[in-house]
Amino acid sequence: MHTVPAITILLSCHAAAFSPSANRNIASNNRLTTFLPAISDETFEPPNTLEFGISEPACTEAASRMKRVQIPVPSYISNDETAGISYIHWPASTTGKKSNTPPLLLVHGFDSSCLEYRRLGPQLSSLGMDVYAVDLLGWGYTQLNDISSFSAQAKVDALRNFWKEVGNDRPVVVGGASLGGAAAIEFATTSDACVGAILLDAQGFVDGIGPMAMLPRPIAKLGVEVLKSVPLRNSANQMSYYNPKEFATEDALKVGRMHCLREGWNDALVSFMQSGGFSPSEKVSQINVPSLVLWGRQDGILDGTEFANKFIETLPDGRLEWIEECGHVPHLEQPEVTAKVILEFLQSDKFEGVVKNEEGVSGYVLGAAGLVGAAALAEISTLLLN
């Protein structure tokens, strides 16, 4: 089986920016977590792009939208069973035609942040889609202090809980880019709310992080220091684009690096590395929802000829779309084209009956053979909208 060197995966995800349980319930020591409403983290300050000398308007706008909420998590993640998860929400535009599609939950790549979707999010929103870009626990601008585990399992548990709390566990289509694809695969196979999956140049057939998982902690910490260095980030930046002259800019380097300068980032990344990373390959065939595989035709990091086609061979219900003149990050290099392909996918007959907006009802069409009384339907509608 072809393998990709771990450092290549790390580099690829830095520019844009496991083996969790398949149990659909989120449990801690065999005890189900009790969910309380998500609480806004009033102490959170979004990243100051001006402070880092970032001039890209899309980044400044996205950062201004960023929020963080305290969500419930199992006790193995934190002693007080809460963790702060940061995210950006682009509501569906009200100026154009409603897309009548499920909301999107987008997951960034390895050690990146939700700012990775700063260009795609607004495009999707303008086409009438409701978009949430979320930071995986330990990366981006999530809580780093008083967290016991930043493992792959912890990341997926927090992701599911985030949608349960912030998204009210509505039917959702999950999307993941590069290593974020591994988290999206896990979400798609373990969340009852998931009705579709979008995989953007995703890591689905490369398990773990290789020898780095076995490094002694002092050596691992030294390695982590290298991972946030400007030379390595710049190399990753250059590798990720078909047109690096236009896209691998100083701004792009700063956007992908500024979260690494937060206190606690080093320990969080070491925790993830020593957890062994993601192992998604055996779960791709278990994604029993319609899936869109998007791949940059000129991806020089994860060869689409091998990996994109392997997704289509493995997925029960997969569709492949190539993004031309594009490297490893279609959401950054070709956001308009990528948004239109996603809209076409979500408006296909595969999602008929998943969302109904005509009478203000979002969610599955509930009831057996339509035998739901008007009063019951009204009550269900109220619950789904709250």
Side-chain angles (χ1 to χ4, degrees):
M1 177 181 176
H2 177 82
T3 59
V4 177
I7 190 63
T8 302
I9 296 297
L10 298 180
L11 283 170
S12 73
C13 302
H14 273 92
F18 59 67
S19 180
S21 167
N23 186 352
R24 288 180 178 266
N25 292 321
I26 301 168
S28 173
N29 297 326
N30 298 319
R31 178 175 56 82
L32 291 178
T33 300
T34 301
F35 290 99
L36 299 174
I39 301 173
S40 177
D41 186 346
E42 301 300 334
T43 67
F44 176 68
E45 295 184 5
N48 187 334
T49 57
L50 294 178
E51 181 181 326
F52 286 89
I54 295 169
S55 59
E56 182 184 351
C59 182
T60 300
E61 194 277 338
S64 71
R65 290 177 173 271
M66 193 181 299
K67 298 179 181 179
R68 194 164 76 187
V69 292
Q70 291 291 322
I71 64 163
V73 294
S75 59
Y76 82 89
I77 295 177
S78 73
N79 289 334
D80 66 1
E81 298 188 336
T82 64
I85 300 297
S86 40
Y87 70 102
I88 300 170
H89 180 208
W90 288 278
S93 173
T94 58
T95 59
K97 183 179 179 181
K98 290 183 179 179
S99 67
N100 196 32
T101 59
L104 283 166
L105 178 63
L106 301 178
V107 185
H108 60 76
F110 174 86
D111 187 36
S112 182
S113 78
C114 52
L115 291 174
E116 189 175 311
Y117 291 103
R118 62 191 180 274
R119 297 171 191 161
L120 181 61
Q123 291 289 335
L124 294 168
S125 170
S126 70
L127 294 174
M129 286 173 274
D130 194 25
V131 183
Y132 294 79
V134 61
D135 284 336
L136 291 173
L137 182 64
W139 293 335
Y141 299 89
T142 60
Q143 177 182 338
L144 298 178
N145 61 304
D146 298 323
I147 299 293
S148 304
S149 174
F150 296 98
S151 67
Q153 180 70 63
K155 286 171 167 51
V156 173
D157 281 348
L159 178 63
R160 280 195 303 253
N161 288 20
F162 169 83
W163 188 246
K164 185 178 287 288
E165 297 302 304
V166 175
N168 295 317
D169 225 19
R170 292 173 291 160
V172 66
V173 173
V174 66
S178 196
L179 192 70
I185 289 167
E186 179 66 22
F187 185 92
T189 56
T190 61
S191 171
D192 291 324
C194 185
V195 296
I198 298 172
L199 302 169
L200 300 96
D201 294 69
Q203 180 178 328
F205 300 100
V206 181
D207 292 337
I209 57 174
M212 287 183 290
M214 306 302 293
L215 291 176
R217 188 172 182 83
I219 297 178
K221 294 187 75 169
L222 289 175
V224 162
E225 283 293 327
V226 174
L227 289 177
K228 71 177 177 183
S229 67
V230 170
L232 187 143
R233 297 269 167 169
N234 186 55
S235 296
N237 212 19
Q238 297 293 327
M239 289 172 63
S240 287
Y241 297 101
Y242 166 71
N243 185 354
K245 184 176 181 179
E246 180 176 352
F247 292 100
T249 62
E250 187 72 18
D251 254 12
L253 175 65
K254 292 175 181 177
V255 175
R257 184 173 179 266
M258 62 179 175
H259 67 277
C260 304
L261 307 180
R262 300 176 61 217
E263 185 178 353
W265 173 86
N266 297 51
D267 289 336
L269 188 52
V270 169
S271 172
F272 170 75
M273 289 170 59
Q274 295 192 324
S275 78
F278 295 90
S279 295
S281 62
E282 293 185 357
K283 297 179 181 177
V284 176
S285 63
Q286 301 172 24
I287 302 177
N288 294 315
V289 294
S291 302
L292 173 65
V293 178
L294 285 170
W295 219 275
R297 179 76 76 175
Q298 289 78 26
D299 188 341
I301 293 171
L302 291 177
D303 179 20
T305 304
E306 176 182 357
F307 292 111
N309 288 317
K310 192 168 184 178
F311 269 114
I312 299 307
E313 293 168 2
T314 309
L315 286 164
D317 185 3
R319 165 183 166 185
L320 172 61
E321 294 285 347
W322 294 98
I323 307 298
E324 303 295 341
E325 298 186 355
C326 184
H328 187 61
V329 284
H331 48 302
L332 286 168
E333 194 163 15
Q334 296 286 0
E336 290 186 30
V337 175
T338 301
K340 290 177 181 177
V341 173
I342 290 174
L343 176 63
E344 181 184 351
F345 171 66
L346 295 182
Q347 289 185 327
S348 69
D349 56 7
K350 293 182 181 296
F351 294 93
E352 285 185 4
V354 172
V355 175
K356 279 201 173 288
N357 285 331
E358 295 88 346
E359 297 178 359
V361 179
S362 294
Y364 285 112
V365 179
L366 299 175
L371 299 177
V372 180
L377 182 58
E379 183 177 354
I380 292 170
S381 301
T382 302
L383 289 172
L384 290 170
L385 290 169
N386 287 336

